[in-house]
Amino acid sequence: MAFTPPKETNTGKVYSVTMGTGDKAVTIGGENVLPFHGFEGVVPNKPVIAFDVMDIAPVDWPDTVREIYAGVSDDPVTWAKFCVEKFNAKAICLRLAGTHPDNGNRSTAEAAETVKKVLDAVSVPLIILGSNHVEKDTEVLVKTAEVAKGRNCVIGKAQEANYKTVAAAAMAHDHLLIAMSELDINLSKQLNIMITQLGFNKEKIIIDPMCSALGYGLEYTYTVMERIRLAALTQNDVTMQQPIVGDVGMYVWKIKEVSASEDTLPMWGALKERGIGWEAQTATALLMSGAELLIMRHPEAVAAVEAFINEMI
Amino acid sequence: MALTGVEIFKMLPKTNCKKCGFPTCLAFAMQLAQRKASLDACPDVSEDAKQKLGEASAPPIRPITIGAGARAVKVGEETVLFRHEKKFVNPSILAITIKDTDGDDAVAAKISECLTSEIDRVGQKLKIDALCLVNESNDAGKFDALAKSVASKAPDVAVILSTENVDAAKAAIANFAGKKPLLYGATEANAEEMAKLAKASGASLGIKADGLDALSTLSDKVKGLGVDDIVLDSGAKTAKEMVEHNTYIRRAVLKKGNKSLGYPVINIAVRGDNMLETLIAGLGIAKYAAVVVLSSAEKWKNLVMFTLRQNIYTDPQVPMQVEQKVYEIGSPKPESPLIVTTNFSLTYFIVAGEIENSKVPTWLAIMDCEGLSVLTAWAAGKFTASKIAAFIKDSGVEGKIANKELIIPGYVAILSGALEEKLEGWKITVGPREANALPSYLKSRTA
Ligand code: B12
Ligand code: SF4
């Protein structure tokens, strides 16, 4: 019997969002079908991977990934340039972890200075993240959004507790905004609505439904992303049509599977491959469920995910 | 296509005799249509109706078992496209290839890779499920020799025989009598003979075609030749084709009532680059492959694939959980430490594992929090000072220990004051946040 492909076309579509400026700007989203379903619709843009860079040395990263950046990671500017020049990073995520009160408590002025220097040094799009301390982030992100004006950066993360100030700062200086909620499609939707009610352009938001690592709640993130995409496409829910980010590296490079040695756990096999595989697999699972933007740490994991993406399109 | 209640009703005896446990034949028919009852419950149904209804009530994706005995594996029976709708049913089988051109050492190494692959994760035993023997030489003698070696060294492992050469298939399959191998290699060219061989050997039949049109035709053909247990290979060579074909197949079967493709799917994940191969296997696991064929199974790679498979196939409604009770890790004595945490499987296994690492015998009080992690349970109001206090009092652990001291997870340090009030006479100690700090913490306490 002849087979008729049961194509499904959707009424909804993911907004396409451009980050950065000039010839290094990148665009994500724009598809009107589920991830990698180019066979039944339009998928105009490939997912983009940003390299994770911090304003402090990555002392708590496991060796497998820390040693890659030995010699450059003392300084965010050299670190960011290294990622662009050596690994051809398409975007950089500058995580201002050192501004956290428990992690050095760097001042807002210092953070702004760092952002400025990194922006001067690299021309790829920049994602600027706070330290995930809701109060301190408000201060830090307001100031850094200001110094980054004109570069069309991604500012984050706006959460329920601080979204008003963070969104206002992104809006005032023409940046994009990451809206983060906690593993719940309704919370995510609600946050998007509250942000747009401030007058923020809904097509300049990127959804972070909260990441989790393979083996540590990945199935929750996977399913929330999948449900957000289905709502956007099949129900044409305009409040859920933003691209999705997976903040993968941070969640992966702290668990036991990426740091326990093969000597202590022979059943787990080679540590280096295990760590890279863990990050890459977490990332591709999220691409399959809906993420268009990933933040990652190990260049070999990034390369593997890019090879996967190329085979998928 | 599934029948409606009324269509089913027409085939029932219509006597309303109630022997099925329902007041009327119609009520019973309605339950059958929703798959909430089984036809066996009606003793008076005619043979003819039985056959028709049996076909209609069969699961849309046919269940197929490969192998026999303790290591037999079942695939198929999936009912949804997305895991939030309903739990995915039978986890994808992972198989590693052995070629009949591989040297003896390589064959032995692959077999042992499979036999030693088992890893315990969160209380589940996970492993490489099958060996896929490939007739690379196209020679019947060589394929038979490989089959003999596998049948003797790994007699319990489920086997896939990959060949389009009928003579080679005949020779090899004779080594697996009664073991339900998957004979993988029926094509348009050899379908008749392969179908005959599969039927004669009690094997399921893997059919290969180029694209879904040709696959449908071939599937109908082997079905017509009397083969019931079919596994589909659409010829997908790239990840792109895998997503397209697997999605179309599952959708057509579940949403359009397509019968020709109502079978499990096999995908080849073998790639030149091992990391990419791991990710392609992940694609198969997430996107509807029942059998994923790999080139190798290094331990690191297994852990990645097994964990993904476990995550994707867990029940989205019910977190994996363990029983509420005071577990004895090591052989704790009255003066051994007492730790409390929640009954989320992952939490329990991580914490219990680290206590074992520490070699310090410990009382581990696991409290029922509906399978939520420490912080989630706390945020949801299930791991609160009063509930913990009540649990500790009811658990009877007080009678087993010398010092009334309770160690709580570092993430809920905030509970310590309230707990001290609620558990009178107890000392509450805040432990480290991450469980991997437990070994040094427990050792330093006893030092
Ligand atoms: C997956 C997840 C969920 C899942 C539930 C999974 C589950 N079975 O628990 C779902 C989606 C259902 C969920 C829901 C909610 N969640 Co939730 N969730 C998570 C997430 C991402 C991972 C949790 C997890 O699986 N951890 C892994 C386990 C193993 O960790 P653990 O139990 O804490 O154990 C570790 C340590 O505590 C330690 N440990 C454990 N016991 C002991 C004992 C001792 C003595 C010691 C020393 C150590 C120790 O060992 C383990 C490893 O180190 C976390 C964020 C994160 N990445 O951590 C948020 C998180 C826990 N959730 C949070 C919240 C707020 C919620 C909700 C209330 C909100 C919502 N989104 O609706 C709901 C509540 C649920 C309900 N029923 O009402 C918050 C809690 C915030 C807070 N500080 O209170 C978190 C931290 C996210 C955040 N950053 O805001 N969540
Ligand atoms: S047992 Fe059969 S005949 Fe009797 S009521 Fe039930 S369906 Fe009808």
Side-chain angles (χ1 to χ4, degrees):
Chain A
M1 199 168 72
F3 181 81
T4 320
K7 270 196 199 342
E8 284 180 6
T9 49
N10 299 303
T11 40
K13 178 177 160 205
V14 178
Y15 304 127
S16 57
V17 171
T18 300
M19 323 185 275
T21 52
D23 57 357
K24 292 284 162 53
V26 294
T27 303
I28 54 172
E31 67 273 16
N32 63 359
V33 282
L34 289 171
F36 305 108
H37 279 213
F39 52 85
E40 55 186 351
V42 205
V43 183
N45 300 298
K46 279 193 201 180
V48 167
I49 305 173
F51 276 70
D52 213 341
V53 167
M54 301 201 299
D55 62 340
I56 47 170
V59 283
D60 56 353
W61 293 15
D63 292 346
T64 309
V65 59
R66 196 164 43 99
E67 64 197 14
I68 304 278
Y69 303 105
V72 299
S73 55
D74 297 335
D75 170 37
V77 175
T78 4
W79 188 352
K81 278 172 80 172
F82 181 74
C83 294
V84 173
E85 284 159 15
K86 181 113 193 257
F87 305 126
N88 197 18
K90 309 267 184 321
I92 296 290
C93 169
L94 176 60
R95 198 182 294 276
L96 299 164
T99 61
H100 197 286
D102 301 338
N103 204 3
N105 203 15
R106 292 190 172 205
S107 71
T108 299
E110 249 178 304
E113 191 57 29
T114 307
V115 168
K116 222 153 105 198
K117 283 196 203 142
V118 172
L119 279 171
D120 286 342
V122 299
S123 50
V124 298
L126 191 67
I127 301 169
I128 304 168
L129 299 185
S131 61
N132 206 20
H133 183 279
V134 281
E135 290 92 34
K136 185 71 182 276
D137 277 5
T138 355
E139 223 181 274
V140 168
L141 294 173
V142 165
K143 188 72 194 154
T144 52
E146 186 187 322
V147 301
K149 189 175 179 74
R151 291 292 292 273
N152 192 25
C153 296
V154 182
I155 305 286
K157 301 174 178 176
Q159 316 182 30
E160 194 190 340
N162 65 8
Y163 75 94
K164 282 189 184 145
T165 334
V166 177
M171 186 155 65
H173 305 290
D174 285 328
H175 298 297
L176 307 157
L177 181 71
I178 294 181
M180 186 184 83
S181 49
E182 288 156 7
L183 286 171
D184 182 314
I185 183 170
N186 295 316
L187 291 179
S188 171
K189 185 178 159 84
Q190 200 184 328
L191 183 60
N192 284 354
I193 293 173
M194 293 189 303
I195 290 173
T196 45
Q197 279 170 351
L198 298 173
F200 197 91
N201 182 349
K202 65 180 183 310
E203 302 190 21
K204 295 187 92 174
I205 297 174
I206 295 174
I207 300 175
D208 180 355
M210 185 152 176
C211 192
S212 25
L214 177 61
Y216 292 84
L218 177 70
E219 68 273 30
Y220 294 99
T221 303
Y222 181 94
T223 282
V224 172
M225 286 190 181
E226 207 160 60
R227 292 184 59 198
I228 290 177
R229 267 301 152 266
L230 286 166
L233 298 170
T234 64
Q235 294 155 32
N236 197 11
D237 182 341
V238 295
T239 65
M240 299 259 70
Q241 289 174 335
Q242 294 80 6
I244 301 177
V245 58
D247 195 354
V248 172
M250 179 178 89
Y251 284 90
V252 168
W253 292 103
K254 65 174 186 189
I255 62 167
K256 186 165 180 174
E257 280 79 351
V258 302
S259 59
S261 77
E262 192 175 358
D263 297 338
T264 43
L265 286 162
M267 277 316 290
W268 283 6
L271 173 60
K272 181 181 165 207
E273 283 79 2
R274 197 191 323 137
I276 295 169
W278 216 269
E279 184 175 35
Q281 185 63 84
T282 305
T284 51
L286 298 183
L287 289 180
M288 290 186 273
S289 59
E292 284 92 355
L293 176 63
L294 299 171
I295 302 170
M296 295 179 63
R297 292 185 173 170
H298 201 294
E300 288 180 51
V302 173
V305 175
E306 281 179 342
F308 176 84
I309 294 171
N310 289 334
E311 220 197 281
M312 282 288 245
I313 338 222
Chain B
M1 185 68 119
L3 296 176
T4 65
V6 175
E7 284 166 331
I8 296 173
F9 170 68
K10 287 182 185 153
M11 289 186 247
L12 293 176
K14 303 198 196 73
T15 55
N16 298 336
C17 76
K18 300 189 174 62
K19 281 184 254 174
C20 57
F22 292 92
T24 60
C25 295
L26 183 61
F28 181 60
M30 292 301 174
Q31 295 297 309
L32 276 180
Q34 293 175 31
R35 295 175 201 275
K36 284 182 182 159
S38 158
L39 189 60
D40 310 337
C42 171
D44 302 327
V45 70
S46 73
E47 279 309 313
D48 179 49
K50 231 183 228 171
Q51 201 200 333
K52 284 193 187 124
L53 289 171
E55 269 170 30
S57 64
I61 301 176
R62 188 174 169 83
I64 286 176
T65 299
I66 305 177
R71 288 191 66 133
V73 272
K74 188 171 165 201
V75 289
E77 289 185 310
E78 299 303 330
T79 58
V80 294
L81 281 135
F82 302 104
R83 60 182 294 283
H84 69 269
E85 300 172 287
K86 206 156 183 243
K87 183 179 186 293
F88 284 3
V89 185
N90 290 310
S92 320
I93 291 180
L94 299 170
I96 48 174
T97 40
I98 309 185
K99 295 178 182 163
D100 63 0
T101 50
D102 286 343
D104 289 348
D105 292 350
V107 171
K110 285 277 183 65
I111 292 176
S112 115
E113 218 173 40
C114 171
L115 291 176
T116 61
S117 63
E118 190 170 285
I119 301 177
D120 199 316
R121 195 185 152 83
V122 201
Q124 290 184 342
K125 296 199 185 317
L126 309 167
K127 60 178 182 303
I128 294 292
D129 309 279
L131 287 167
C132 177
L133 316 191
V134 180
N135 185 205
E136 188 83 1
S137 68
N138 200 29
D139 178 278
K142 289 213 170 88
F143 201 40
D144 182 38
L146 174 62
K148 283 204 161 56
S149 154
V150 168
S152 73
K153 291 191 186 116
D156 299 333
V157 177
V159 161
I160 301 170
L161 296 170
S162 173
T163 182
E164 293 175 22
N165 176 330
V166 178
D167 293 330
K170 270 187 192 146
I173 210 163
N175 297 290
F176 302 102
K179 291 192 180 163
K180 293 193 165 202
L182 167 63
L183 174 57
Y184 168 48
T187 63
E188 183 50 39
N190 65 17
E192 281 83 5
E193 288 170 289
M194 285 292 200
K196 215 161 111 191
L197 181 58
K199 277 197 296 178
S201 337
S204 45
L205 187 62
I207 64 170
K208 297 162 105 170
D210 197 6
L212 299 179
D213 227 6
L215 190 65
S216 289
T217 311
L218 184 57
S219 167
D220 290 344
K221 180 169 176 179
V222 299
K223 170 95 186 149
L225 292 165
V227 178
D228 290 327
D229 291 340
I230 299 171
V231 174
L232 308 170
D233 177 356
S234 64
K237 298 268 174 315
T238 61
K240 178 182 160 107
E241 287 169 336
M242 268 171 74
V243 183
E244 176 177 344
H245 294 178
N246 293 7
T247 304
Y248 274 156
I249 292 174
R250 182 153 309 176
R251 229 191 240 163
V253 171
L254 296 183
K255 296 173 87 172
K256 305 278 175 202
N258 180 309
K259 283 256 177 245
S260 307
L261 299 181
Y263 301 97
V265 167
I266 184 168
N267 284 148
I268 309 296
V270 175
R271 296 293 185 273
D273 180 284
N274 210 6
M275 198 58 77
L276 180 60
E277 177 169 316
T278 309
L279 302 181
I280 299 294
L283 165 63
I285 290 166
K287 291 293 163 191
Y288 321 141
V291 184
V292 176
V293 179
L294 305 151
S295 67
S296 65
E298 289 82 1
K299 295 199 179 318
W300 64 266
K301 183 176 169 188
N302 290 348
L303 191 65
V304 170
M305 294 184 301
F306 295 169
T307 307
L308 182 72
R309 181 172 61 175
Q310 190 175 47
N311 283 175
I312 297 290
Y313 279 84
T314 51
D315 190 329
Q317 262 89 45
V318 195
M320 293 169 65
Q321 43 191 291
V322 295
E323 189 195 338
Q324 160 165 312
K325 69 174 196 192
V326 179
Y327 291 78
E328 303 182 6
I329 315 283
S331 303
K333 300 192 189 56
E335 52 286 352
S336 298
L338 168 67
I339 284 181
V340 66
T341 191
T342 69
N343 74 329
F344 181 33
S345 285
L346 187 60
T347 305
Y348 167 77
F349 285 102
I350 292 174
V351 173
E354 294 297 356
I355 296 174
E356 273 162 27
N357 285 347
S358 77
K359 308 232 156 44
V360 179
T362 299
W363 303 96
L364 178 57
I366 293 293
M367 177 173 153
D368 182 0
C369 298
E370 292 167 26
L372 296 180
S373 77
V374 170
L375 276 179
T376 316
W378 176 76
K382 300 190 197 306
F383 196 57
T384 60
S386 43
K387 288 183 182 165
I388 297 172
F391 161 61
I392 291 294
K393 280 183 196 149
D394 294 346
S395 72
V397 69
E398 211 166 329
K400 296 179 185 165
I401 54 172
N403 316 314
K404 285 203 246 170
E405 179 184 7
L406 179 65
I407 303 171
I408 63 170
Y411 279 110
V412 288
I414 194 164
L415 293 176
S416 69
L419 256 176
E420 265 179 2
E421 272 171 35
K422 301 247 152 62
L423 273 177
E424 238 174 276
W426 283 71
K427 178 178 172 210
I428 306 298
T429 302
V430 177
R433 293 177 144 220
E434 297 298 335
N436 60 15
L438 266 172
S440 61
Y441 173 78
L442 288 173
K443 277 186 228 155
S444 71
R445 281 174 50 96
T446 45

